[in-house]
Amino acid sequence: MPEFSFELNEEQKSVRDWIHGFAQDVMRPAAAEWDEREETPWPIIQEAAKIGLYSLDFYAQQFFDPTGLGIPMTMEELFWGDAGIALSIVGTGLAAVGVLANGTEEQIGTWVPQMYGDANDVKVAAFCSSEPDAGSDVAAMRTRAVYDEAKDEWVLNGTKTWATNGGIASVHVVVAVVDPELGSKGHASFIIPPGTPGLSQGQKFQKHGIRASHTAEVVLEDVRVPGDCLLGGKAKLDERLARARERGAQSAAGAERVKNAAMATFEASRPAVGAMAVGTARAAYEEALEYAKTRTQFGRPIIDNQGVAFQLADMRTQIDAARLLVWRASWMAAAGRPFTAAEGSMSKLYASETAKKVTAQAIQILGGNGYTREYPVERMHRDSAIYTIFEGTSEIQRLVIARTLSGMPIR
C-alpha cells in the first residue's frame, strides 16, 4: 500500500506539466470560441488524441497510479484549462469507469477501447443514468430492461437525460431496471454497441455553463442487445438480485448495503469531480490575483487593499483545502481503504462549493470587467455551477455524509 505524500513524484510532475502545457497552449485559446458555439470541440479532442492525452492507455495509467493521484492531477490541470472543453475530453471516462466498475475482464477489453477510437478516428462514449423523473432519486428510474431468454437478448425501453455525449457517442452505457420490486437495488448496466437500432438522441440541452460539452437526452425504443452486453454477466446479476431480496426481507439497513450499478460508478468518480472543481477554482483565483496586482485605483494596485487581499487569501486557502480532501479520498480509494466517513462525498461537496464561491469572488475582484465575456472569470463562474449538481447534488452529498456518520436512515 503506497504511503500518503503531499509531494508528487518526478514522473507525476512531468505528466502534470505536460497536461498543463496542453491546457495552456491548446485549450485556453479556444475556450471562448467553443463556449459560444456550444458544440463538441472535435478538433481539440483530436489534438489530445494525437499526443496521447485522449486515449485508453493514458487514462489507464492514471487510473492505476498506486498513489491514487494520477486522475485528480489530470482533472485539475485539464479543468484549469477550460471546463467545457475538458469535459468533452474526459466525459468518455465516466462510461469507461462504469464498465471498469461493473464489467468482466472480457467486457472491459472489448468495449473500453471502442469508446476512445484512435487519433485518426476519434470516438466518445456516454454514461446514461439520470431520467426526467429520476435524478438524485435513482429509485424512481423507469427505463426497463427485459430479458428475452429465447434469443439471449435484453430489450431496453425508456428515456435518459443529462447524458454527456448522449446520442453522439459510439458506445452508450445505460443503467436500467431489471427488477422493479427491488427499487434501486434492481438496477443493472448495459452496453449499447455502436449503431444499435432503436437508440436515438432526444433533446440537446442549451446550458448555463460547460457549453462546449454535449449534453442530451437518449431515447431507447425496443433496443435489443446481446446477453453478453449486460455488464458483469447474468449469473452475477442473478446472484446479486437474490442477495438483495434476502436482505430486503431482513431490514432496510441490510438492504442499504447492497450497491446498485449507478452508485458504484458515482462512488468511484466523486473525488475526480472534486478535482475538476479545484481546477476551475484555481484558474479563477489566478486570474483574480494577477488582475489585483496590475489593476490600479487611487494610485495603487487594488491588492494593496485588505478587502481584496483578504479575499484572495481565503480563496487560496479554500482551494488548497479542497485539493487535500480530493487527494485524501483518491489515495484511500487506491489503497483499498473504505470511505468510513464518506470521504469521497466530502471531497466532492467541499471542492464543488469552493469552486462556486471562488469564481464568484473572482468576478467581484475584477468588478465590471469580471462581468463581461472579455475576461474568462465570467465563463468560469458559469461553468462552476455544474459541480454542485451533477454526479450527486451538494444536498445528496450531505445526506450521504450524514447517513455514513450517524448510521441512521436520514431523509
Side-chain angles (χ1 to χ4, degrees):
M1 180 174 63
E3 293 191 8
F4 184 79
S5 174
F6 293 117
E7 183 71 22
L8 298 176
N9 60 41
E10 291 304 315
E11 181 179 354
Q12 290 169 325
K13 290 178 182 178
S14 177
V15 172
R16 178 198 62 190
D17 294 345
W18 173 62
I19 301 170
H20 185 82
F22 179 83
Q24 181 171 270
D25 298 337
V26 180
M27 295 172 64
R28 283 202 162 184
E33 174 190 350
W34 290 100
D35 178 71
E36 290 289 341
R37 291 175 63 167
E38 298 191 53
E39 296 175 359
T40 300
W42 290 106
I44 309 297
I45 300 174
Q46 188 163 34
E47 286 300 312
K50 285 179 180 177
I51 64 171
L53 181 55
Y54 183 78
S55 70
L56 171 61
D57 288 344
F58 173 74
Y59 286 101
Q61 289 174 13
Q62 303 315 307
F63 186 84
F64 292 111
D65 180 343
T67 70
L69 301 184
I71 289 295
M73 177 189 68
T74 297
M75 296 302 172
E76 179 176 338
E77 294 305 324
L78 287 174
F79 282 75
W80 173 89
D82 177 69
I85 294 176
L87 193 56
S88 288
I89 293 174
V90 307
T92 293
L94 186 58
V97 167
V99 177
L100 290 168
N102 300 296
T104 64
E105 289 187 9
E106 182 178 356
Q107 289 170 330
I108 292 170
T110 298
W111 296 111
V112 176
Q114 294 187 47
M115 294 179 173
Y116 289 92
D118 56 47
N120 297 318
D121 187 19
V122 171
K123 305 292 185 183
V124 295
F127 182 76
C128 309
S129 176
S130 294
E131 297 185 2
D133 295 319
S136 298
D137 182 10
V138 293
M141 188 177 295
R142 295 182 179 179
T143 296
R144 291 292 308 276
V146 178
Y147 185 57
D148 183 342
E149 189 171 1
K151 295 184 177 180
D152 185 25
E153 291 180 340
W154 288 90
V155 185
L156 286 80
N157 283 280
T159 299
K160 294 296 180 178
T161 193
W162 310 122
T164 298
N165 297 330
I168 66 170
S170 174
V171 176
H172 291 74
V173 177
V174 175
V175 181
V177 179
V178 294
D179 189 331
E181 295 182 1
L182 293 177
S184 63
K185 308 305 180 288
H187 296 176
S189 293
F190 297 85
I191 290 285
I192 312 298
T196 300
L199 184 147
S200 62
Q201 179 183 309
Q203 175 187 4
K204 178 187 175 183
F205 296 104
Q206 294 180 303
K207 305 186 299 294
H208 175 66
I210 55 166
R211 301 197 304 188
S213 173
H214 176 97
T215 309
E217 291 181 331
V218 173
V219 180
L220 304 119
E221 297 178 306
D222 292 329
V223 171
R224 285 183 168 268
V225 297
D228 59 9
C229 284
L230 165 65
L231 290 179
K234 194 167 188 305
K236 184 177 179 181
L237 172 65
D238 290 341
E239 180 183 345
R240 179 167 62 81
L241 295 178
R243 277 201 315 271
R245 294 186 191 101
E246 181 181 350
R247 293 189 182 186
Q250 295 172 0
S251 68
E256 198 64 40
R257 289 192 290 270
V258 182
K259 295 181 181 178
N260 65 72
M263 294 311 297
T265 299
F266 292 144
E267 285 178 10
S269 62
R270 275 173 181 159
V273 176
M276 298 173 188
V278 170
T280 299
R282 189 183 112 214
Y285 158 76
E286 291 176 2
E287 290 286 339
L289 176 63
E290 184 61 28
Y291 185 88
K293 290 162 65 175
T294 57
R295 172 70 167 174
T296 58
Q297 289 286 281
F298 306 105
R300 60 180 184 174
I302 62 173
I303 200 171
D304 279 356
N305 299 297
Q306 286 187 1
V308 172
F310 285 7
Q311 281 195 75
L312 288 162
D314 287 344
M315 292 159 74
R316 176 59 185 268
T317 300
Q318 291 158 1
I319 291 166
D320 282 11
R323 182 184 298 109
L324 289 176
L325 284 171
V326 167
W327 282 20
R328 179 184 69 168
S330 301
W331 173 79
M332 289 178 68
R337 296 197 173 190
F339 289 161
T340 56
E343 288 87 351
S345 289
M346 281 186 186
S347 69
K348 198 265 187 186
L349 170 65
Y350 189 80
S352 60
E353 294 289 346
T354 293
K356 284 186 69 174
K357 184 184 297 184
V358 166
T359 55
Q361 288 175 303
I363 289 178
Q364 193 68 24
I365 290 171
L366 269 67
N369 286 330
Y371 198 65
T372 70
R373 294 189 182 182
E374 293 182 26
Y375 288 80
V377 294
E378 177 271 341
R379 183 178 68 252
M380 293 168 185
H381 184 50
R382 286 190 285 107
D383 291 341
S384 71
I386 194 60
Y387 300 129
T388 63
I389 299 173
F390 70 178
E391 295 198 48
T393 64
S394 288
E395 292 74 21
I396 289 296
Q397 305 308 320
R398 290 185 174 97
L399 187 63
V400 170
I401 295 166
R403 284 177 174 175
T404 304
L405 296 178
S406 68
M408 301 296 290
I410 299 169
R411 302 292 179 188

